[in-house]
PDB file of all heavy atoms in Angstrom:
ATOM      1  N   LEU A   7     119.723 105.134 129.158  1.00 91.00           N
ATOM      2  CA  LEU A   7     118.712 104.093 128.803  1.00 91.00           C
ATOM      3  C   LEU A   7     117.272 104.546 128.993  1.00 91.00           C
ATOM      4  O   LEU A   7     116.474 104.301 128.074  1.00 91.00           O
ATOM      5  CB  LEU A   7     119.086 102.822 129.538  1.00 91.00           C
ATOM      6  CG  LEU A   7     118.160 101.608 129.160  1.00 91.00           C
ATOM      7  CD1 LEU A   7     118.404 101.129 127.728  1.00 91.00           C
ATOM      8  CD2 LEU A   7     118.398 100.482 130.205  1.00 91.00           C
ATOM      9  N   VAL A   8     116.996 105.204 129.983  1.00 90.00           N
ATOM     10  CA  VAL A   8     115.667 105.708 130.273  1.00 90.00           C
ATOM     11  C   VAL A   8     115.285 106.697 129.247  1.00 90.00           C
ATOM     12  O   VAL A   8     114.132 106.784 128.697  1.00 90.00           O
ATOM     13  CB  VAL A   8     115.589 106.339 131.711  1.00 90.00           C
ATOM     14  CG1 VAL A   8     114.311 107.132 131.925  1.00 90.00           C
ATOM     15  CG2 VAL A   8     115.655 105.218 132.749  1.00 90.00           C
ATOM     16  N   GLY A   9     116.222 107.720 128.929  1.00 91.00           N
ATOM     17  CA  GLY A   9     115.967 108.643 127.884  1.00 91.00           C
ATOM     18  C   GLY A   9     115.596 108.072 126.519  1.00 91.00           C
ATOM     19  O   GLY A   9     114.638 108.449 125.875  1.00 91.00           O
ATOM     20  N   ARG A  10     116.368 107.041 126.128  1.00 93.00           N
ATOM     21  CA  ARG A  10     116.078 106.433 124.795  1.00 93.00           C
ATOM     22  C   ARG A  10     114.824 105.693 124.865  1.00 93.00           C
ATOM     23  O   ARG A  10     114.032 105.620 123.968  1.00 93.00           O
ATOM     24  CB  ARG A  10     117.296 105.598 124.458  1.00 93.00           C
ATOM     25  CG  ARG A  10     118.504 106.298 124.038  1.00 93.00           C
ATOM     26  CD  ARG A  10     119.568 105.421 123.644  1.00 93.00           C
ATOM     27  NE  ARG A  10     120.808 106.169 123.357  1.00 93.00           N
ATOM     28  CZ  ARG A  10     121.979 105.725 123.100  1.00 93.00           C
ATOM     29  NH1 ARG A  10     122.067 104.339 123.215  1.00 93.00           N
ATOM     30  NH2 ARG A  10     122.973 106.390 122.795  1.00 93.00           N
ATOM     31  N   SER A  11     114.578 104.865 126.008  1.00 91.00           N
ATOM     32  CA  SER A  11     113.394 104.035 126.101  1.00 91.00           C
ATOM     33  C   SER A  11     112.145 104.915 126.121  1.00 91.00           C
ATOM     34  O   SER A  11     111.196 104.596 125.492  1.00 91.00           O
ATOM     35  CB  SER A  11     113.474 103.243 127.322  1.00 91.00           C
ATOM     36  OG  SER A  11     114.588 102.297 127.295  1.00 91.00           O
ATOM     37  N   SER A  12     112.207 106.054 126.841  1.00 90.00           N
ATOM     38  CA  SER A  12     111.005 106.882 126.935  1.00 90.00           C
ATOM     39  C   SER A  12     110.684 107.522 125.605  1.00 90.00           C
ATOM     40  O   SER A  12     109.574 107.643 125.288  1.00 90.00           O
ATOM     41  CB  SER A  12     111.122 107.911 127.985  1.00 90.00           C
ATOM     42  OG  SER A  12     112.184 108.765 127.666  1.00 90.00           O
ATOM     43  N   MET A  13     111.785 107.844 124.758  1.00 92.00           N
ATOM     44  CA  MET A  13     111.436 108.391 123.504  1.00 92.00           C
ATOM     45  C   MET A  13     110.738 107.335 122.598  1.00 92.00           C
ATOM     46  O   MET A  13     109.769 107.694 121.888  1.00 92.00           O
ATOM     47  CB  MET A  13     112.749 108.775 122.854  1.00 92.00           C
ATOM     48  CG  MET A  13     112.596 109.438 121.450  1.00 92.00           C
ATOM     49  SD  MET A  13     114.105 110.102 120.846  1.00 92.00           S
ATOM     50  CE  MET A  13     115.146 108.653 120.719  1.00 92.00           C
ATOM     51  N   VAL A  14     111.193 106.060 122.638  1.00 92.00           N
ATOM     52  CA  VAL A  14     110.524 104.976 121.835  1.00 92.00           C
ATOM     53  C   VAL A  14     109.114 104.770 122.341  1.00 92.00           C
ATOM     54  O   VAL A  14     108.138 104.625 121.541  1.00 92.00           O
ATOM     55  CB  VAL A  14     111.371 103.818 121.873  1.00 92.00           C
ATOM     56  CG1 VAL A  14     110.664 102.575 121.291  1.00 92.00           C
ATOM     57  CG2 VAL A  14     112.728 103.928 121.169  1.00 92.00           C
ATOM     58  N   VAL A  15     108.955 104.659 123.714  1.00 90.00           N
ATOM     59  CA  VAL A  15     107.664 104.451 124.202  1.00 90.00           C
ATOM     60  C   VAL A  15     106.692 105.584 123.925  1.00 90.00           C
ATOM     61  O   VAL A  15     105.520 105.363 123.595  1.00 90.00           O
ATOM     62  CB  VAL A  15     107.687 104.237 125.723  1.00 90.00           C
ATOM     63  CG1 VAL A  15     106.363 104.202 126.454  1.00 90.00           C
ATOM     64  CG2 VAL A  15     108.399 102.848 125.986  1.00 90.00           C
ATOM     65  N   ASN A  16     107.097 106.831 124.027  1.00 90.00           N
ATOM     66  CA  ASN A  16     106.203 107.996 123.702  1.00 90.00           C
ATOM     67  C   ASN A  16     105.809 107.978 122.272  1.00 90.00           C
ATOM     68  O   ASN A  16     104.736 108.248 121.917  1.00 90.00           O
ATOM     69  CB  ASN A  16     106.962 109.295 124.117  1.00 90.00           C
ATOM     70  CG  ASN A  16     106.971 109.418 125.669  1.00 90.00           C
ATOM     71  OD1 ASN A  16     106.165 108.855 126.267  1.00 90.00           O
ATOM     72  ND2 ASN A  16     107.854 110.275 126.075  1.00 90.00           N
ATOM     73  N   ALA A  17     106.719 107.635 121.323  1.00 92.00           N
ATOM     74  CA  ALA A  17     106.416 107.547 119.880  1.00 92.00           C
ATOM     75  C   ALA A  17     105.386 106.427 119.669  1.00 92.00           C
ATOM     76  O   ALA A  17     104.539 106.581 118.950  1.00 92.00           O
ATOM     77  CB  ALA A  17     107.675 107.320 119.087  1.00 92.00           C
ATOM     78  N   ALA A  18     105.595 105.278 120.358  1.00 91.00           N
ATOM     79  CA  ALA A  18     104.628 104.201 120.320  1.00 91.00           C
ATOM     80  C   ALA A  18     103.201 104.649 120.747  1.00 91.00           C
ATOM     81  O   ALA A  18     102.216 104.244 120.139  1.00 91.00           O
ATOM     82  CB  ALA A  18     105.149 102.985 120.960  1.00 91.00           C
ATOM     83  N   PHE A  19     103.255 105.439 121.897  1.00 88.00           N
ATOM     84  CA  PHE A  19     101.944 105.853 122.390  1.00 88.00           C
ATOM     85  C   PHE A  19     101.189 106.813 121.463  1.00 88.00           C
ATOM     86  O   PHE A  19      99.974 106.759 121.274  1.00 88.00           O
ATOM     87  CB  PHE A  19     102.077 106.507 123.702  1.00 88.00           C
ATOM     88  CG  PHE A  19     102.084 105.570 124.897  1.00 88.00           C
ATOM     89  CD1 PHE A  19     103.190 105.383 125.704  1.00 88.00           C
ATOM     90  CD2 PHE A  19     101.013 104.689 125.134  1.00 88.00           C
ATOM     91  CE1 PHE A  19     103.255 104.503 126.745  1.00 88.00           C
ATOM     92  CE2 PHE A  19     101.021 103.777 126.183  1.00 88.00           C
ATOM     93  CZ  PHE A  19     102.194 103.610 126.942  1.00 88.00           C
ATOM     94  N   VAL A  20     102.018 107.668 120.810  1.00 89.00           N
ATOM     95  CA  VAL A  20     101.380 108.608 119.868  1.00 89.00           C
ATOM     96  C   VAL A  20     100.768 107.728 118.669  1.00 89.00           C
ATOM     97  O   VAL A  20      99.724 108.100 118.274  1.00 89.00           O
ATOM     98  CB  VAL A  20     102.379 109.551 119.328  1.00 89.00           C
ATOM     99  CG1 VAL A  20     101.911 110.316 118.080  1.00 89.00           C
ATOM    100  CG2 VAL A  20     102.799 110.496 120.357  1.00 89.00           C
ATOM    101  N   LEU A  21     101.466 106.768 118.195  1.00 90.00           N
ATOM    102  CA  LEU A  21     101.013 105.912 117.115  1.00 90.00           C
ATOM    103  C   LEU A  21      99.784 105.117 117.540  1.00 90.00           C
ATOM    104  O   LEU A  21      98.778 105.009 116.811  1.00 90.00           O
ATOM    105  CB  LEU A  21     101.999 104.909 116.676  1.00 90.00           C
ATOM    106  CG  LEU A  21     103.213 105.560 115.815  1.00 90.00           C
ATOM    107  CD1 LEU A  21     104.214 104.472 115.578  1.00 90.00           C
ATOM    108  CD2 LEU A  21     102.666 106.197 114.589  1.00 90.00           C
ATOM    109  N   ALA A  22      99.783 104.721 118.796  1.00 84.00           N
ATOM    110  CA  ALA A  22      98.554 103.921 119.338  1.00 84.00           C
ATOM    111  C   ALA A  22      97.340 104.784 119.526  1.00 84.00           C
ATOM    112  O   ALA A  22      96.281 104.377 119.163  1.00 84.00           O
ATOM    113  CB  ALA A  22      98.932 103.228 120.636  1.00 84.00           C
ATOM    114  N   ILE A  23      97.574 106.026 119.933  1.00 82.00           N
ATOM    115  CA  ILE A  23      96.458 107.016 120.042  1.00 82.00           C
ATOM    116  C   ILE A  23      95.909 107.297 118.664  1.00 82.00           C
ATOM    117  O   ILE A  23      94.658 107.393 118.401  1.00 82.00           O
ATOM    118  CB  ILE A  23      96.907 108.198 120.788  1.00 82.00           C
ATOM    119  CG1 ILE A  23      97.053 107.833 122.263  1.00 82.00           C
ATOM    120  CG2 ILE A  23      95.841 109.336 120.692  1.00 82.00           C
ATOM    121  CD1 ILE A  23      97.671 108.921 123.099  1.00 82.00           C
ATOM    122  N   ILE A  24      96.743 107.558 117.697  1.00 86.00           N
ATOM    123  CA  ILE A  24      96.318 107.813 116.311  1.00 86.00           C
ATOM    124  C   ILE A  24      95.553 106.667 115.735  1.00 86.00           C
ATOM    125  O   ILE A  24      94.487 106.840 115.098  1.00 86.00           O
ATOM    126  CB  ILE A  24      97.482 108.178 115.412  1.00 86.00           C
ATOM    127  CG1 ILE A  24      98.032 109.557 115.846  1.00 86.00           C
ATOM    128  CG2 ILE A  24      97.068 108.195 113.935  1.00 86.00           C
ATOM    129  CD1 ILE A  24      99.392 109.932 115.102  1.00 86.00           C
ATOM    130  N   VAL A  25      96.031 105.402 115.939  1.00 81.00           N
ATOM    131  CA  VAL A  25      95.374 104.276 115.391  1.00 81.00           C
ATOM    132  C   VAL A  25      94.030 104.103 116.067  1.00 81.00           C
ATOM    133  O   VAL A  25      92.971 103.785 115.486  1.00 81.00           O
ATOM    134  CB  VAL A  25      96.271 102.965 115.543  1.00 81.00           C
ATOM    135  CG1 VAL A  25      95.375 101.756 115.393  1.00 81.00           C
ATOM    136  CG2 VAL A  25      97.445 103.049 114.608  1.00 81.00           C
ATOM    137  N   ALA A  26      93.987 104.216 117.451  1.00 76.00           N
ATOM    138  CA  ALA A  26      92.685 104.184 118.141  1.00 76.00           C
ATOM    139  C   ALA A  26      91.637 105.226 117.618  1.00 76.00           C
ATOM    140  O   ALA A  26      90.479 104.923 117.558  1.00 76.00           O
ATOM    141  CB  ALA A  26      92.891 104.314 119.678  1.00 76.00           C
ATOM    142  N   GLY A  27      92.102 106.330 117.397  1.00 77.00           N
ATOM    143  CA  GLY A  27      91.268 107.400 116.862  1.00 77.00           C
ATOM    144  C   GLY A  27      90.727 107.151 115.533  1.00 77.00           C
ATOM    145  O   GLY A  27      89.601 107.343 115.143  1.00 77.00           O
ATOM    146  N   ALA A  28      91.633 106.567 114.712  1.00 80.00           N
ATOM    147  CA  ALA A  28      91.262 106.266 113.285  1.00 80.00           C
ATOM    148  C   ALA A  28      90.239 105.112 113.249  1.00 80.00           C
ATOM    149  O   ALA A  28      89.245 105.146 112.487  1.00 80.00           O
ATOM    150  CB  ALA A  28      92.499 105.878 112.463  1.00 80.00           C
ATOM    151  N   VAL A  29      90.534 104.106 114.195  1.00 75.00           N
ATOM    152  CA  VAL A  29      89.546 102.988 114.239  1.00 75.00           C
ATOM    153  C   VAL A  29      88.204 103.431 114.771  1.00 75.00           C
ATOM    154  O   VAL A  29      87.085 103.100 114.267  1.00 75.00           O
ATOM    155  CB  VAL A  29      90.036 101.867 115.144  1.00 75.00           C
ATOM    156  CG1 VAL A  29      89.065 100.818 115.507  1.00 75.00           C
ATOM    157  CG2 VAL A  29      91.257 101.270 114.393  1.00 75.00           C
ATOM    158  N   GLY A  30      88.164 104.342 115.732  1.00 72.00           N
ATOM    159  CA  GLY A  30      86.958 104.933 116.256  1.00 72.00           C
ATOM    160  C   GLY A  30      86.155 105.732 115.233  1.00 72.00           C
ATOM    161  O   GLY A  30      84.981 105.769 115.284  1.00 72.00           O
ATOM    162  N   MET A  31      86.875 106.480 114.448  1.00 76.00           N
ATOM    163  CA  MET A  31      86.214 107.343 113.428  1.00 76.00           C
ATOM    164  C   MET A  31      85.663 106.509 112.250  1.00 76.00           C
ATOM    165  O   MET A  31      84.661 106.947 111.697  1.00 76.00           O
ATOM    166  CB  MET A  31      87.088 108.471 112.982  1.00 76.00           C
ATOM    167  CG  MET A  31      87.332 109.467 114.087  1.00 76.00           C
ATOM    168  SD  MET A  31      88.243 110.914 113.535  1.00 76.00           S
ATOM    169  CE  MET A  31      89.815 110.299 113.182  1.00 76.00           C
ATOM    170  N   THR A  32      86.437 105.569 111.785  1.00 77.00           N
ATOM    171  CA  THR A  32      86.047 104.854 110.537  1.00 77.00           C
ATOM    172  C   THR A  32      85.072 103.750 110.782  1.00 77.00           C
ATOM    173  O   THR A  32      84.288 103.456 109.830  1.00 77.00           O
ATOM    174  CB  THR A  32      87.313 104.298 109.877  1.00 77.00           C
ATOM    175  OG1 THR A  32      88.035 103.429 110.795  1.00 77.00           O
ATOM    176  CG2 THR A  32      88.233 105.400 109.502  1.00 77.00           C
ATOM    177  N   HIS A  33      85.070 103.087 111.932  1.00 71.00           N
ATOM    178  CA  HIS A  33      84.109 101.925 112.096  1.00 71.00           C
ATOM    179  C   HIS A  33      82.913 102.507 112.931  1.00 71.00           C
ATOM    180  O   HIS A  33      83.134 103.029 113.990  1.00 71.00           O
ATOM    181  CB  HIS A  33      84.821 100.799 112.841  1.00 71.00           C
ATOM    182  CG  HIS A  33      85.743 100.073 111.982  1.00 71.00           C
ATOM    183  ND1 HIS A  33      86.887 100.708 111.409  1.00 71.00           N
ATOM    184  CD2 HIS A  33      85.790  98.799 111.558  1.00 71.00           C
ATOM    185  CE1 HIS A  33      87.538  99.803 110.684  1.00 71.00           C
ATOM    186  NE2 HIS A  33      86.925  98.628 110.810  1.00 71.00           N
ATOM    187  N   GLY A  34      81.743 102.355 112.378  1.00 66.00           N
ATOM    188  CA  GLY A  34      80.599 102.923 113.093  1.00 66.00           C
ATOM    189  C   GLY A  34      79.889 102.082 114.026  1.00 66.00           C
ATOM    190  O   GLY A  34      78.888 102.431 114.617  1.00 66.00           O
ATOM    191  N   THR A  35      80.262 100.828 114.207  1.00 66.00           N
ATOM    192  CA  THR A  35      79.613  99.942 115.083  1.00 66.00           C
ATOM    193  C   THR A  35      79.716 100.314 116.614  1.00 66.00           C
ATOM    194  O   THR A  35      80.829 100.855 116.908  1.00 66.00           O
ATOM    195  CB  THR A  35      79.946  98.450 114.948  1.00 66.00           C
ATOM    196  OG1 THR A  35      81.315  98.283 115.373  1.00 66.00           O
ATOM    197  CG2 THR A  35      79.794  98.046 113.505  1.00 66.00           C
ATOM    198  N   LEU A  36      78.806 100.029 117.349  1.00 60.00           N
ATOM    199  CA  LEU A  36      78.792 100.354 118.797  1.00 60.00           C
ATOM    200  C   LEU A  36      79.913  99.558 119.447  1.00 60.00           C
ATOM    201  O   LEU A  36      80.623 100.052 120.371  1.00 60.00           O
ATOM    202  CB  LEU A  36      77.467 100.130 119.398  1.00 60.00           C
ATOM    203  CG  LEU A  36      77.343 100.451 120.880  1.00 60.00           C
ATOM    204  CD1 LEU A  36      77.617 101.956 121.083  1.00 60.00           C
ATOM    205  CD2 LEU A  36      75.977  99.974 121.467  1.00 60.00           C
ATOM    206  N   GLN A  37      80.109  98.321 119.056  1.00 62.00           N
ATOM    207  CA  GLN A  37      81.125  97.479 119.685  1.00 62.00           C
ATOM    208  C   GLN A  37      82.531  98.011 119.516  1.00 62.00           C
ATOM    209  O   GLN A  37      83.325  97.984 120.436  1.00 62.00           O
ATOM    210  CB  GLN A  37      81.063  96.097 119.199  1.00 62.00           C
ATOM    211  CG  GLN A  37      81.929  95.049 119.865  1.00 62.00           C
ATOM    212  CD  GLN A  37      81.668  93.664 119.377  1.00 62.00           C
ATOM    213  OE1 GLN A  37      80.942  93.464 118.478  1.00 62.00           O
ATOM    214  NE2 GLN A  37      82.380  92.698 120.047  1.00 62.00           N
ATOM    215  N   ILE A  38      82.959  98.474 118.351  1.00 62.00           N
ATOM    216  CA  ILE A  38      84.278  99.032 118.049  1.00 62.00           C
ATOM    217  C   ILE A  38      84.472 100.256 118.902  1.00 62.00           C
ATOM    218  O   ILE A  38      85.466 100.512 119.557  1.00 62.00           O
ATOM    219  CB  ILE A  38      84.421  99.338 116.574  1.00 62.00           C
ATOM    220  CG1 ILE A  38      84.433  98.013 115.803  1.00 62.00           C
ATOM    221  CG2 ILE A  38      85.751 100.037 116.380  1.00 62.00           C
ATOM    222  CD1 ILE A  38      85.515  97.058 116.070  1.00 62.00           C
ATOM    223  N   ARG A  39      83.484 101.159 119.017  1.00 59.00           N
ATOM    224  CA  ARG A  39      83.615 102.373 119.748  1.00 59.00           C
ATOM    225  C   ARG A  39      83.809 102.086 121.228  1.00 59.00           C
ATOM    226  O   ARG A  39      84.543 102.738 121.987  1.00 59.00           O
ATOM    227  CB  ARG A  39      82.451 103.357 119.539  1.00 59.00           C
ATOM    228  CG  ARG A  39      82.406 103.891 118.246  1.00 59.00           C
ATOM    229  CD  ARG A  39      81.312 104.957 118.154  1.00 59.00           C
ATOM    230  NE  ARG A  39      81.241 105.395 116.753  1.00 59.00           N
ATOM    231  CZ  ARG A  39      80.158 106.056 116.246  1.00 59.00           C
ATOM    232  NH1 ARG A  39      79.141 106.159 116.937  1.00 59.00           N
ATOM    233  NH2 ARG A  39      80.203 106.408 114.952  1.00 59.00           N
ATOM    234  N   TYR A  40      83.095 101.116 121.720  1.00 61.00           N
ATOM    235  CA  TYR A  40      83.197 100.696 123.156  1.00 61.00           C
ATOM    236  C   TYR A  40      84.659 100.134 123.421  1.00 61.00           C
ATOM    237  O   TYR A  40      85.175 100.421 124.456  1.00 61.00           O
ATOM    238  CB  TYR A  40      82.102  99.657 123.462  1.00 61.00           C
ATOM    239  CG  TYR A  40      82.103  99.279 124.985  1.00 61.00           C
ATOM    240  CD1 TYR A  40      81.746 100.082 125.865  1.00 61.00           C
ATOM    241  CD2 TYR A  40      82.558  97.916 125.297  1.00 61.00           C
ATOM    242  CE1 TYR A  40      81.711  99.701 127.176  1.00 61.00           C
ATOM    243  CE2 TYR A  40      82.580  97.548 126.614  1.00 61.00           C
ATOM    244  CZ  TYR A  40      82.128  98.459 127.592  1.00 61.00           C
ATOM    245  OH  TYR A  40      82.150  98.121 128.905  1.00 61.00           O
ATOM    246  N   GLU A  41      85.179  99.389 122.455  1.00 71.00           N
ATOM    247  CA  GLU A  41      86.444  98.838 122.645  1.00 71.00           C
ATOM    248  C   GLU A  41      87.547  99.813 122.676  1.00 71.00           C
ATOM    249  O   GLU A  41      88.552  99.785 123.415  1.00 71.00           O
ATOM    250  CB  GLU A  41      86.810  97.743 121.605  1.00 71.00           C
ATOM    251  CG  GLU A  41      86.030  96.471 121.782  1.00 71.00           C
ATOM    252  CD  GLU A  41      86.195  95.516 120.607  1.00 71.00           C
ATOM    253  OE1 GLU A  41      87.013  95.789 119.768  1.00 71.00           O
ATOM    254  OE2 GLU A  41      85.499  94.503 120.669  1.00 71.00           O
ATOM    255  N   VAL A  42      87.336 100.925 121.839  1.00 68.00           N
ATOM    256  CA  VAL A  42      88.265 102.016 121.856  1.00 68.00           C
ATOM    257  C   VAL A  42      88.242 102.762 123.181  1.00 68.00           C
ATOM    258  O   VAL A  42      89.237 103.179 123.749  1.00 68.00           O
ATOM    259  CB  VAL A  42      88.056 103.005 120.680  1.00 68.00           C
ATOM    260  CG1 VAL A  42      88.824 104.277 120.736  1.00 68.00           C
ATOM    261  CG2 VAL A  42      88.380 102.270 119.383  1.00 68.00           C
ATOM    262  N   LYS A  43      87.054 102.897 123.767  1.00 74.00           N
ATOM    263  CA  LYS A  43      86.858 103.547 125.079  1.00 74.00           C
ATOM    264  C   LYS A  43      87.605 102.750 126.147  1.00 74.00           C
ATOM    265  O   LYS A  43      88.082 103.334 127.112  1.00 74.00           O
ATOM    266  CB  LYS A  43      85.444 103.752 125.410  1.00 74.00           C
ATOM    267  CG  LYS A  43      84.763 104.783 124.588  1.00 74.00           C
ATOM    268  CD  LYS A  43      83.350 104.953 125.086  1.00 74.00           C
ATOM    269  CE  LYS A  43      82.517 105.938 124.183  1.00 74.00           C
ATOM    270  NZ  LYS A  43      81.127 105.984 124.555  1.00 74.00           N
ATOM    271  N   ASP A  44      87.697 101.483 126.000  1.00 77.00           N
ATOM    272  CA  ASP A  44      88.378 100.619 126.972  1.00 77.00           C
ATOM    273  C   ASP A  44      89.825 100.771 126.816  1.00 77.00           C
ATOM    274  O   ASP A  44      90.574 100.606 127.779  1.00 77.00           O
ATOM    275  CB  ASP A  44      87.951  99.153 126.828  1.00 77.00           C
ATOM    276  CG  ASP A  44      86.623  98.791 127.353  1.00 77.00           C
ATOM    277  OD1 ASP A  44      86.100  99.658 128.190  1.00 77.00           O
ATOM    278  OD2 ASP A  44      86.062  97.722 127.066  1.00 77.00           O
ATOM    279  N   LEU A  45      90.273 101.043 125.645  1.00 77.00           N
ATOM    280  CA  LEU A  45      91.709 101.157 125.356  1.00 77.00           C
ATOM    281  C   LEU A  45      92.334 102.390 125.949  1.00 77.00           C
ATOM    282  O   LEU A  45      93.498 102.470 126.399  1.00 77.00           O
ATOM    283  CB  LEU A  45      91.994 100.986 123.897  1.00 77.00           C
ATOM    284  CG  LEU A  45      93.392 100.995 123.403  1.00 77.00           C
ATOM    285  CD1 LEU A  45      94.090  99.764 123.908  1.00 77.00           C
ATOM    286  CD2 LEU A  45      93.489 100.943 121.860  1.00 77.00           C
ATOM    287  N   ILE A  46      91.597 103.514 125.932  1.00 78.00           N
ATOM    288  CA  ILE A  46      92.162 104.771 126.328  1.00 78.00           C
ATOM    289  C   ILE A  46      92.616 104.854 127.743  1.00 78.00           C
ATOM    290  O   ILE A  46      93.713 105.348 128.005  1.00 78.00           O
ATOM    291  CB  ILE A  46      91.047 105.927 125.978  1.00 78.00           C
ATOM    292  CG1 ILE A  46      90.977 106.080 124.488  1.00 78.00           C
ATOM    293  CG2 ILE A  46      91.524 107.232 126.707  1.00 78.00           C
ATOM    294  CD1 ILE A  46      89.941 107.023 124.020  1.00 78.00           C
ATOM    295  N   PRO A  47      91.873 104.380 128.780  1.00 84.00           N
ATOM    296  CA  PRO A  47      92.415 104.389 130.097  1.00 84.00           C
ATOM    297  C   PRO A  47      93.732 103.532 130.291  1.00 84.00           C
ATOM    298  O   PRO A  47      94.615 103.890 131.022  1.00 84.00           O
ATOM    299  CB  PRO A  47      91.289 103.843 131.012  1.00 84.00           C
ATOM    300  CG  PRO A  47      90.104 103.972 130.191  1.00 84.00           C
ATOM    301  CD  PRO A  47      90.495 103.893 128.792  1.00 84.00           C
ATOM    302  N   ARG A  48      93.728 102.523 129.519  1.00 84.00           N
ATOM    303  CA  ARG A  48      94.992 101.665 129.584  1.00 84.00           C
ATOM    304  C   ARG A  48      96.177 102.377 128.957  1.00 84.00           C
ATOM    305  O   ARG A  48      97.288 102.214 129.504  1.00 84.00           O
ATOM    306  CB  ARG A  48      94.697 100.281 128.837  1.00 84.00           C
ATOM    307  CG  ARG A  48      93.742  99.393 129.562  1.00 84.00           C
ATOM    308  CD  ARG A  48      93.443  98.180 128.787  1.00 84.00           C
ATOM    309  NE  ARG A  48      92.397  97.488 129.497  1.00 84.00           N
ATOM    310  CZ  ARG A  48      91.500  96.772 128.891  1.00 84.00           C
ATOM    311  NH1 ARG A  48      91.380  96.679 127.596  1.00 84.00           N
ATOM    312  NH2 ARG A  48      90.552  96.127 129.608  1.00 84.00           N
ATOM    313  N   LEU A  49      95.946 103.120 127.877  1.00 83.00           N
ATOM    314  CA  LEU A  49      97.014 103.912 127.305  1.00 83.00           C
ATOM    315  C   LEU A  49      97.436 105.010 128.272  1.00 83.00           C
ATOM    316  O   LEU A  49      98.645 105.300 128.379  1.00 83.00           O
ATOM    317  CB  LEU A  49      96.532 104.517 125.946  1.00 83.00           C
ATOM    318  CG  LEU A  49      96.422 103.611 124.811  1.00 83.00           C
ATOM    319  CD1 LEU A  49      95.799 104.341 123.651  1.00 83.00           C
ATOM    320  CD2 LEU A  49      97.738 102.992 124.349  1.00 83.00           C
ATOM    321  N   VAL A  50      96.541 105.632 128.978  1.00 85.00           N
ATOM    322  CA  VAL A  50      96.872 106.701 129.902  1.00 85.00           C
ATOM    323  C   VAL A  50      97.673 106.077 130.991  1.00 85.00           C
ATOM    324  O   VAL A  50      98.786 106.621 131.443  1.00 85.00           O
ATOM    325  CB  VAL A  50      95.606 107.354 130.432  1.00 85.00           C
ATOM    326  CG1 VAL A  50      95.977 108.437 131.584  1.00 85.00           C
ATOM    327  CG2 VAL A  50      94.987 108.211 129.330  1.00 85.00           C
TER     328      VAL A  50
END
């Protein structure tokens, strides 16, 4: 169960990091970049 769950969770983390990077690169406002910076420690 741990093996299967960790595979799903790690795939979800990869997707979350890609989405956070895409949002940070495409939106130029300071507020969006600040929110992405808040999300990274939580992801780690």
Side-chain angles (χ1 to χ4, degrees):
L7 183 65
V8 166
R10 289 181 181 172
S11 298
S12 67
M13 184 174 57
V14 169
V15 168
N16 289 339
F19 276 119
V20 168
L21 289 175
I23 290 171
I24 289 172
V25 167
V29 167
M31 286 188 293
T32 57
H33 290 61
T35 65
L36 181 63
Q37 186 176 6
I38 295 295
R39 288 186 186 161
Y40 182 71
E41 290 175 4
V42 171
K43 288 180 184 178
D44 282 343
L45 185 64
I46 290 174
R48 293 179 183 140
L49 286 173
V50 170

